[in-house]
Amino acid sequence: MDLDDLDTPSLVIDLNTLERNIGEMAAVARGAGVGLRPHTKTHKSPEIARMQLDAGATGITVAKLGEADVMADAGLDDLLIAFPLVGERKLERLRELLERARVRVSLDAVEVAEGVGRVGKELGRDVPVLVEVDTGLHRMGREAGDPSARLAVDIAGVPGVEVVGLLTHAGHAYRAGDPEELRTIATREAVDVLDTAERCEREGLSIREISVGSTPTARVAATVHGVTEIRPGTYVFNDVQQMRLGIATEESCAVRVLATVVARPTAERFLIDGGTKSFSSDGGDGPPFPGRGVVAGRPDLVLDFMSEEHGVGHLVGDAELRIGERLEVLPLHVCSTVNLFDVAFGIRSRVVEREIAIAARGKVQ
Amino acid sequence: MDLDDLDTPSLVIDLNTLERNIGEMAAVARGAGVGLRPHTKTHKSPEIARMQLDAGATGITVAKLGEADVMADAGLDDLLIAFPLVGERKLERLRELLERARVRVSLDAVEVAEGVGRVGKELGRDVPVLVEVDTGLHRMGREAGDPSARLAVDIAGVPGVEVVGLLTHAGHAYRAGDPEELRTIATREAVDVLDTAERCEREGLSIREISVGSTPTARVAATVHGVTEIRPGTYVFNDVQQMRLGIATEESCAVRVLATVVARPTAERFLIDGGTKSFSSDGGDGPPFPGRGVVAGRPDLVLDFMSEEHGVGHLVGDAELRIGERLEVLPLHVCSTVNLFDVAFGIRSRVVEREIAIAARGKVQ
């Protein structure tokens, strides 16, 4: 089957690019002497997680228990659930999962640790936890430094859990204005967590794992002495957000939404058969890649807005485009795009090599 | 099973509110003497489409062939596919669908009509089409008036199709600054299409159907003499966007995402276990309902931003909130929220009465 045989809109993964991206980040981690625990929220596919492990990843990260279940069902082991598990149903499910896979969880509160600790006590072994530290995103965690060190010491006192490390997510890197600011955020992300770990050590709490690094920051953070693992996710596919940050190029973007031109109502306007239900509304607009997605190989086509099923754009200069033509559109934020599809098509040189199940799509619980 | 027994995040539909919303719009259409062909993109559920038909809807609208297939599989008939069908694969599928259900399609180009017409010729009967008119959204369609009338006449000349009507979607109503502007847009939506129809009649093309009206405009547009059908979708559930437009209230919003408070990292900040993968990134911020969703019954909690799995908010004044509490969050744009879940829970007075399959979720083809 060829790319031309696919109905549209379809989610397409270029396998050569995917393999190159996986290999490149594995080499970054190897070169820096740190572990690579990729965040699988980007692809939600056990098959691609397996490719990452085969290339040298030391384990995987998931956001939700439901994603962990899918990965464990596929035989994947050594999972970090980078999300606080709260409520009896979640703790029952954690217990079931711990009986069949090695699992660690991150959290930022003593109450949450107490719930997880009850599971550990029932199982007769401590559940490994990482304490989340706020390095500037202001989402989870207390401030880096003493506030987080005190929290880690308190959590270490909870029966049934073992504090094995500190973790942060510097998501504010996505707001970096230029490469210099991005580099500063990436360095601070690592340095601030290492400083927190030192304060823990002074309080008698030994910290083994320093887990940092998203796709925009991982290459820099990995080189900071003391970091033990990086957790990038998006690198596996890349997207326009990464292109805008200078982290990726059109050539290193592995995922495209294949779409058909379905209308040309005016000389300038065109419509494709994919909107926010194929791309998501994630990601803003921004130079040097304007629009709600980048049409691969067609800088003369700009996507201006999307409704649920329509993508609406305009032609630049003397561009030509007719109804029925197919376009490959790079999404702004690939993680949310992938989460809208149940299956992706893995292609090599326009030939569809295999279908890839997005098995953890929608597993928000 | 009770609301408290559901794991989170879960998509919850209040059945009393749903039934009331369905009944109210059916009464609007009945009172105005127009047909009601609700857009099922909002719920993507044959079960709810059936409730709408039982309350008096005259047919249903879908955006995509894949949605039409799901509805036809469930025995629903008289479907409008409000999207141009382009490409051989789509036309094959249209042909298959036409063999088992009454279907009409909308489009805005002679080339598209020619493809649909080939299907009609193969089947030996004309495919009913509605010509889409641009009444200000600047998405599909030519300008209302002569440009659209000329197009309709041209399409009427295509063998294998029958132009049965004109259709518009005044999606720019969502940008209305106040109720007066909204009323003006709603009236113009109907008047402009009726004017276009008159010009068609003058050219000898009789127009039977005048299909207008989304949730913000349907109640007004239905009352314009000559309109034959309205196609609102969101009214079935309502959402914060409709509340901001003055069309809905918290009480008339039927859908909530049930979420758990999973972190309280600072005195002011809280996190829930639902982010853009449970709500979508659709919808901006805006008075008088600030934030990335409205926490039902808790005006003292404001959701400031979402990442994929985290919703991050702050407490107002002396609000109290502890880890483990559950919140019911009204989404900004319910259509995109529903499309992230495979199943919804229909509740009545906090008791889970039944599961409702979102059977057409993700059917973007």
Side-chain angles (χ1 to χ4, degrees):
Chain A
M1 194 160 65
D2 190 82
L3 204 54
D4 296 333
D5 300 318
L6 294 177
D7 204 348
T8 62
S10 278
L11 188 72
V12 172
I13 302 174
D14 185 86
L15 296 172
N16 288 336
T17 310
L18 172 67
E19 289 162 8
R20 206 163 52 234
N21 291 345
I22 288 174
E24 187 257 331
M25 191 60 83
V28 165
R30 206 178 304 118
V34 301
L36 170 63
R37 187 184 287 278
H39 206 314
T40 58
K41 59 148 186 149
T42 301
H43 53 69
K44 288 179 168 264
S45 157
E47 179 178 337
I48 296 177
R50 176 67 65 196
M51 291 168 70
Q52 292 172 307
L53 289 165
D54 289 347
T58 46
I60 62 171
T61 305
V62 299
K64 293 293 184 79
L65 250 175
E67 296 174 350
D69 285 335
V70 169
M71 296 297 168
D73 287 347
L76 297 164
D77 196 15
D78 196 353
L79 315 170
L80 163 64
I81 303 175
F83 203 86
L85 298 176
V86 174
E88 285 313 309
R89 184 74 198 95
K90 288 284 191 306
L91 295 176
E92 279 166 38
R93 293 173 57 202
L94 172 62
R95 188 197 156 124
E96 289 162 20
L97 182 64
L98 277 163
E99 284 172 344
R100 62 194 184 112
R102 281 175 299 160
V103 177
R104 48 184 62 186
V105 301
S106 68
L107 42 78
D108 77 347
V110 169
E111 305 93 293
V112 178
E114 285 169 345
V116 173
R118 283 199 300 277
V119 174
K121 282 192 287 181
E122 282 169 30
L123 291 172
R125 53 188 158 96
D126 287 350
V127 178
V129 302
L130 291 98
V131 177
E132 185 153 359
V133 177
D134 182 6
T135 52
L137 175 58
H138 306 323
R139 191 177 69 177
M140 295 282 299
R142 298 195 191 164
E143 265 179 74
D146 283 334
S148 279
R150 274 197 301 273
L151 175 65
V153 169
D154 288 345
I155 289 173
V158 172
V161 303
E162 181 196 8
V163 173
V164 296
L166 303 180
L167 168 150
T168 195
H169 172 61
H172 53 301
Y174 283 91
R175 298 192 292 264
D178 56 62
E180 193 48 47
E181 189 184 349
L182 184 56
R183 175 169 288 272
T184 304
I185 290 171
T187 307
R188 282 237 65 83
E189 174 187 7
V191 168
D192 285 357
V193 176
L194 286 161
D195 171 67
T196 307
E198 261 182 46
R199 290 166 201 249
C200 291
E201 304 273 353
R202 263 181 256 149
E203 299 292 321
L205 174 62
S206 164
I207 299 292
R208 290 206 305 274
E209 299 277 1
I210 301 292
S211 178
V212 301
S214 56
T215 295
T217 66
R219 292 170 185 83
V220 171
T223 65
V224 178
H225 181 72
V227 165
T228 64
E229 98 179 353
I230 53 174
R231 304 187 321 280
T234 309
Y235 79 95
V236 74
F237 292 149
N238 286 318
D239 56 22
V240 176
Q241 282 190 341
Q242 303 297 335
M243 288 167 64
R244 287 178 180 156
L245 284 168
I247 299 294
T249 62
E250 190 169 313
E251 290 65 41
S252 66
C253 285
V255 164
R256 283 119 195 252
V257 175
L258 184 69
T260 300
V261 178
V262 293
R264 290 282 284 109
T266 72
E268 297 78 27
R269 198 188 313 150
F270 70 95
L271 284 95
I272 58 172
D273 58 352
T276 59
K277 281 178 174 166
S278 298
F279 288 90
S280 92
S281 290
D282 282 20
D285 207 333
F289 304 103
R292 295 292 316 158
V294 166
V295 185
R298 293 296 304 260
D300 55 347
L301 302 176
V302 177
L303 283 163
D304 298 306
F305 72 96
M306 286 183 176
S307 41
E308 287 165 53
E309 300 288 1
H310 302 76
V312 186
H314 72 275
L315 283 68
V316 178
D318 55 358
E320 292 186 10
L321 188 69
R322 49 168 226 291
I323 289 174
E325 280 191 67
R326 285 158 162 246
L327 303 175
E328 297 174 34
V329 183
L330 282 58
L332 297 185
H333 184 202
V334 71
C335 308
S336 293
T337 300
V338 170
N339 187 49
L340 293 165
F341 288 86
D342 292 303
V343 69
F345 296 92
I347 63 160
R348 215 180 293 271
S349 310
R350 299 187 63 82
V351 175
V352 178
E353 190 172 293
R354 61 183 192 267
E355 291 190 19
I356 297 173
I358 317 295
R361 188 213 63 73
K363 300 296 183 194
V364 288
Q365 292 188 339
Chain B
M1 193 159 67
D2 190 81
L3 203 54
D4 296 333
D5 300 318
L6 294 177
D7 204 349
T8 62
S10 277
L11 188 72
V12 172
I13 302 174
D14 185 86
L15 296 172
N16 288 336
T17 309
L18 172 67
E19 289 162 8
R20 206 163 53 234
N21 291 346
I22 288 174
E24 187 258 330
M25 192 60 83
V28 165
R30 206 179 303 118
V34 301
L36 170 63
R37 188 184 286 278
H39 206 314
T40 58
K41 58 148 185 148
T42 302
H43 54 69
K44 287 178 169 265
S45 157
E47 179 178 337
I48 295 177
R50 177 67 64 196
M51 291 169 70
Q52 292 172 307
L53 289 165
D54 289 347
T58 46
I60 62 171
T61 305
V62 299
K64 293 293 184 78
L65 251 175
E67 296 174 349
D69 285 335
V70 169
M71 295 298 168
D73 287 347
L76 296 164
D77 196 14
D78 196 353
L79 315 170
L80 163 64
I81 303 175
F83 203 86
L85 298 177
V86 174
E88 285 313 309
R89 184 74 198 97
K90 287 283 191 307
L91 296 175
E92 279 167 38
R93 293 173 57 202
L94 173 62
R95 188 197 157 124
E96 289 162 20
L97 182 64
L98 277 163
E99 284 172 344
R100 61 194 184 113
R102 282 176 297 160
V103 177
R104 47 184 62 188
V105 301
S106 68
L107 41 78
D108 77 346
V110 169
E111 306 93 292
V112 178
E114 285 169 345
V116 173
R118 283 199 300 277
V119 174
K121 282 192 287 181
E122 282 170 30
L123 291 172
R125 53 187 157 97
D126 287 349
V127 179
V129 302
L130 291 98
V131 177
E132 185 153 359
V133 177
D134 182 6
T135 51
L137 175 58
H138 306 323
R139 191 177 69 177
M140 295 282 299
R142 298 196 191 164
E143 265 179 74
D146 283 334
S148 280
R150 274 197 301 273
L151 176 65
V153 169
D154 289 345
I155 289 174
V158 173
V161 303
E162 182 195 7
V163 173
V164 297
L166 302 180
L167 167 150
T168 195
H169 172 61
H172 53 301
Y174 283 90
R175 298 192 291 264
D178 56 62
E180 192 49 47
E181 190 184 349
L182 184 56
R183 175 170 287 273
T184 303
I185 291 171
T187 307
R188 282 237 67 82
E189 174 186 8
V191 168
D192 285 357
V193 177
L194 285 161
D195 170 66
T196 307
E198 261 181 48
R199 290 165 200 250
C200 291
E201 304 273 353
R202 263 182 255 149
E203 300 291 322
L205 174 62
S206 164
I207 298 293
R208 289 206 307 274
E209 298 277 1
I210 301 291
S211 178
V212 301
S214 56
T215 295
T217 66
R219 292 170 185 84
V220 171
T223 65
V224 178
H225 181 72
V227 164
T228 64
E229 98 180 353
I230 53 174
R231 304 187 321 280
T234 310
Y235 79 95
V236 74
F237 292 150
N238 286 318
D239 56 22
V240 176
Q241 282 189 341
Q242 303 298 334
M243 289 168 64
R244 287 177 181 157
L245 285 168
I247 300 293
T249 62
E250 190 169 313
E251 291 65 40
S252 67
C253 284
V255 164
R256 283 119 195 251
V257 174
L258 183 69
T260 300
V261 177
V262 293
R264 290 282 285 109
T266 71
E268 298 78 27
R269 197 188 315 150
F270 71 95
L271 284 95
I272 58 172
D273 58 353
T276 60
K277 281 179 174 165
S278 298
F279 288 91
S280 91
S281 290
D282 283 19
D285 207 334
F289 303 103
R292 295 292 317 159
V294 166
V295 186
R298 293 296 303 261
D300 55 347
L301 301 176
V302 177
L303 282 164
D304 298 306
F305 71 96
M306 285 183 176
S307 41
E308 288 165 53
E309 299 288 1
H310 302 76
V312 186
H314 72 274
L315 283 68
V316 178
D318 55 358
E320 292 187 8
L321 188 69
R322 49 169 226 291
I323 289 174
E325 280 191 67
R326 285 159 161 245
L327 303 175
E328 296 174 35
V329 183
L330 282 58
L332 297 186
H333 184 203
V334 71
C335 309
S336 293
T337 300
V338 169
N339 188 50
L340 293 165
F341 289 86
D342 292 303
V343 69
F345 296 92
I347 62 160
R348 216 181 291 271
S349 310
R350 299 187 63 81
V351 175
V352 177
E353 191 172 292
R354 61 182 191 267
E355 291 190 19
I356 298 173
I358 317 295
R361 190 214 64 72
K363 300 297 183 195
V364 289
Q365 293 188 338

